[in-house]
Each structure stands twice: as C-alpha cells, then as structure tokens.
Amino acid sequence: MDEMLVRAELKPEAFTDNINRLNALRERVENRLKNPLNVGATVELVEPGTLPRFEGKAKRVIDKRVY
Amino acid sequence: MSDHGKYRIKQLSIFSENRPGRLMDIARDMKEAQVNILWFTIAEGSGYGVVRMLVDKPEKAYEKLTSNGHVVKFTEVVAVKMEDKPGGLYDLTVMLTDAGINIEYAYGYRNSPSAVLILKVEDIDRAIDSILGSGRSLHDVSHFK
C-alpha cells in the first residue's frame, strides 16, 4: 500500500508543552488526510519556515514509487 | 492567596525537530544572549522534541529564541524545597494525592544541602495553596535569577 510522508510546519499558536497533545495533533492531521486521499499519510511536524516556499513552478509532491 | 505569582516559575518550552544541530542552535542563542541555563531536558515526541529549560533570564531567552525563529512558550511550574533525605518525595506525593492534584510531569535536582522538585500541574494555584498549606516551602522566582 502506498505511504506518503507529509511535512507540516507547526504554527507557534498550536505549540503546546504537552507531548501527548502534540502527538494527538499530528495524528489528527494524519486522519484528516487519510480519509479523502485513501493513502496512508505519516505526518512529520517541523519548525516554521523550514519548508521550501513557492518558487515559480510549484513542486510540492515527490513521487518515490518504483513501478 | 494573593502572592501566587511569585511562586509561578517560568520554564521555557521549545519545539525542536529531531535532527542534528537543533540543540546547538538553542545553546548558541543562550550563549549570545548571555543567559545561564540552570536546568534542561529534552522530552521526546514523534520525530521532534520539546526542550524544557529553566534559565536565569527567561524573558531575555524568550526574546532571543523567538527572534531566531524558534517556537517557544512559557510554561508555569512550581519549585518545591525538598529535604535531601529518603522519603521526602513519598511524603509530598501522599499530600498531593490526598489533595487530588495530578502531576503532568516533574523533575528534580540537588541543590545542596537540600533538593528542588519542579512540578508541572494542571491547576498551579491550587497546588501552591496545598503545598504551602501543608507546611512545605516553595522557591520563588528570585531563586532562579
């Protein structure tokens, strides 16, 4: 089954000191993605500003599947 | 009690990706801001960590870290003065249990000749009242300056 890694920047206002709540947030995003896409998604929380920004032609998906 | 504020210790909590160099970045910020780290730990999440620190100048540390893009929050904790002898933690936890106070997390360190127990609880004011009401003492914010 296909698996997708999604890196998501954590908004400062969503940050909490509580690890359980942070993990719950990550899992909630995973579930929100899985249902409409029907693809398993692993969400990785990253720091704000660390993901590449729009540079002309958008390239937001990297397909690493081997056929 | 009106003096709860002085017992609410500002701990810094910093979101940190789990990759090489992140702790170094935080440590560099503290060095550049001339902030002394009194205690720190890293709580492990899933692919990330939360760095928790007690420092001598929390506001200055917060300003420096946020200006460099770190996600930082103040978390209020209490610092219980403990006798450095067997049974001290047990006696305290009995009192907290009887008062119905749940500990979210805790850490301790020796502060010879005594010890300090840092507690993160849901209702910090009730914890302050209970601990002081039981005859125990708390460190106030001046202890960490």
Side-chain angles (χ1 to χ4, degrees):
Chain A
M1 187 169 171
D2 291 334
E3 186 76 26
M4 184 167 56
L5 173 68
V6 177
R7 292 201 171 94
E9 290 186 1
L10 180 71
K11 279 187 173 180
E13 55 268 33
F15 175 52
T16 164
D17 174 69
N18 187 310
I19 295 283
N20 289 336
R21 283 188 207 142
L22 277 179
N23 283 340
L25 170 68
R26 191 180 54 75
E27 285 166 15
R28 203 159 64 238
V29 178
E30 284 178 352
N31 291 332
R32 289 281 291 272
L33 289 169
K34 189 176 182 179
N35 293 335
L37 299 175
N38 206 25
V39 175
T42 300
V43 169
E44 199 175 278
L45 297 178
V46 299
E47 293 169 41
T50 54
L51 295 178
R53 288 337 198 220
F54 181 72
E55 294 168 357
K57 190 178 176 187
K59 188 183 178 187
R60 298 192 177 95
V61 178
I62 301 166
D63 192 344
K64 291 184 173 176
R65 289 176 294 183
V66 178
Y67 298 99
Chain B
M1 243 177 259
S2 60
D3 56 354
H4 282 149
K6 72 176 184 181
Y7 295 119
R8 292 193 203 123
I9 312 299
K10 284 183 173 179
Q11 173 198 269
L12 289 161
S13 303
I14 308 149
F15 179 77
S16 177
E17 287 174 42
N18 188 4
R19 59 183 166 87
R22 298 312 290 145
L23 183 58
M24 183 189 72
D25 291 342
I26 293 167
R28 184 178 52 229
D29 282 350
M30 296 302 92
K31 181 184 177 185
E32 287 177 3
Q34 285 296 288
V35 171
N36 194 27
I37 301 169
L38 306 171
W39 180 92
F40 94 97
T41 188
I42 304 174
E44 189 183 13
S46 181
Y48 59 88
V50 175
V51 178
R52 294 171 178 151
M53 298 196 304
L54 291 176
V55 299
D56 61 346
K57 303 180 199 83
E59 279 81 11
K60 198 172 176 187
Y62 180 91
E63 194 180 313
K64 179 70 176 176
L65 289 162
T66 51
S67 71
N68 280 342
H70 290 283
V71 178
V72 189
K73 259 195 169 172
F74 282 128
T75 304
E76 290 186 329
V77 295
V78 289
V80 189
K81 291 181 190 175
M82 304 283 289
E83 285 187 68
D84 193 11
K85 65 174 191 182
L89 179 61
Y90 173 72
D91 292 341
L92 178 73
T93 52
V94 166
M95 187 278 292
L96 293 172
T97 303
D98 289 345
I101 293 169
N102 189 42
I103 300 169
E104 287 185 26
Y105 59 80
Y107 46 90
Y109 58 91
R110 283 186 88 176
N111 186 35
S112 193
S114 61
V116 180
L117 180 71
I118 305 290
L119 297 175
K120 167 71 174 75
V121 294
E122 270 179 24
D123 188 342
I124 193 166
D125 288 342
R126 205 159 67 81
I128 290 170
D129 286 340
S130 296
I131 293 165
L132 293 177
S134 72
R136 291 173 174 82
S137 302
L138 293 168
H139 286 293
D140 63 28
V141 291
S142 66
H143 177 75
F144 299 93
K145 299 287 183 198

